[in-house]
Amino acid sequence: EAEVAQSPRYKITEKSQAVAFWCDPISGHATLYWYRQILGQGPELLVQFQDESVVDDSQLPKDRFSAERLKGVDSTLKIQPAELGDSAMYLCASSLTPGLNSPLHFGNGTRLTVT
Amino acid sequence: AQTVTQSQPEMSVQEAETVTLSCTYDTSENNYYLFWYKQPPSRQMILVIRQEAYKQQNATENRFSVNFQKAAKSFSLKISDSQLGDTAMYFCAYLNFGNEKLTFGTGTRLTIIP
């Protein structure tokens, strides 16, 4: 079964450094989501793409976070500069279309530790 | 804003027993969906079951069933004949019609004891 691919699985970085995560959704999935999951909490949506366009980035800290999906396929989430509070699991998910009839498929996530 | 509350941070149960995970939510909307997601130790989140708020009948998927009480804004998950592979974090989630943003609860860590 096709899966959402994410890399790296783990990332340790020092505060004030830049870090980037990559996500490759299931082929044909037009909708892509980035979630942040802080330890002990549920995932929180950071940004949603429909093809190459941002649909919702209201919860993305835009002073340090950026996300792109240039060709409407894979996506990169960047943090610059990283802060201690950014330590979390970053989950990517995709769906065929937005909406309730197209279930979300999640990747395994990238665990970020900022020291 | 919608909120989802899971009041049981951790639970454990013997294999083959039945366990119920609790979830309550707060919303002023009438049309919405509720979900239970499972996140095993390998971390890939998968959908367990979903319930449309307009349906009175409780959803069932094999050993998984829900007790949806709309007036009480309660949405519990029952796992029957629990198996070792059910060990995971379970998240309750809410989604409003017209808004595809899922709101998750804080999760319940379920351990099935052999």
Side-chain angles (χ1 to χ4, degrees):
Chain A
E1 182 178 336
E3 294 186 346
V4 175
Q6 288 190 249
S7 67
R9 288 289 293 268
Y10 304 93
K11 180 70 177 178
I12 300 174
T13 191
E14 294 182 349
K15 63 180 180 178
S16 79
Q17 296 298 304
V19 63
F21 315 128
W22 177 79
C23 172
D24 191 12
I26 293 173
S27 178
H29 280 198
T31 311
L32 184 146
Y33 308 81
W34 282 102
Y35 285 87
R36 177 172 61 185
Q37 185 178 13
I38 296 172
L39 188 64
Q41 299 182 21
E44 175 190 33
L45 180 68
L46 291 175
V47 61
Q48 176 185 346
F49 287 92
Q50 180 62 29
D51 299 310
E52 68 276 9
S53 300
V54 173
V55 173
D56 184 350
D57 63 356
S58 58
Q59 299 301 312
L60 189 71
K62 299 180 187 64
D63 57 334
R64 298 185 300 108
F65 285 64
S66 64
E68 61 183 18
R69 194 184 183 197
L70 294 177
K71 297 183 179 179
V73 182
D74 58 336
S75 175
T76 302
L77 178 69
K78 297 179 181 177
I79 308 174
Q80 182 175 15
E83 296 180 353
L84 295 178
D86 296 331
S87 294
M89 178 76 76
Y90 290 83
L91 296 171
C92 180
S94 70
S95 63
L96 197 59
T97 59
L100 302 166
N101 290 321
S102 184
L104 288 184
H105 296 262
F106 283 86
N108 283 328
T110 295
R111 181 171 294 283
L112 172 67
T113 301
V114 181
T115 62
Chain B
Q2 290 82 18
T3 58
V4 178
T5 301
Q6 293 179 251
S7 59
Q8 304 154 312
E10 294 189 28
M11 295 186 72
S12 61
V13 66
Q14 292 289 133
E15 191 176 5
E17 290 186 349
T18 295
V19 61
T20 299
L21 309 183
S22 301
C23 172
T24 59
Y25 58 95
D26 185 25
T27 183
S28 57
E29 303 293 333
N30 192 48
N31 295 318
Y32 50 88
Y33 278 74
L34 296 164
F35 305 82
W36 279 98
Y37 280 87
K38 170 185 177 181
Q39 190 177 37
S42 64
R43 296 175 298 162
Q44 186 176 47
M45 188 102 66
I46 56 174
L47 178 64
V48 175
I49 197 167
R50 78 178 198 179
Q51 174 79 41
E52 294 87 343
Y54 63 86
K55 290 186 176 179
Q56 292 185 340
Q57 186 173 6
N58 289 324
T60 299
E61 289 287 343
N62 300 313
R63 298 182 296 107
F64 299 86
S65 61
V66 299
N67 183 4
F68 173 48
Q69 302 290 327
K70 190 172 184 179
K73 296 180 182 176
S74 170
F75 182 62
S76 61
L77 174 70
K78 185 173 81 171
I79 306 174
S80 303
D81 185 27
S82 57
Q83 301 174 1
L84 296 180
D86 295 333
T87 293
M89 283 289 290
Y90 286 82
F91 292 96
C92 180
Y94 167 99
L95 190 150
N96 196 22
F97 270 34
N99 177 352
E100 283 76 41
K101 185 162 62 176
L102 276 173
T103 300
F104 286 87
T106 52
T108 296
R109 183 178 301 278
L110 176 65
T111 301
I112 308 301
I113 303 168

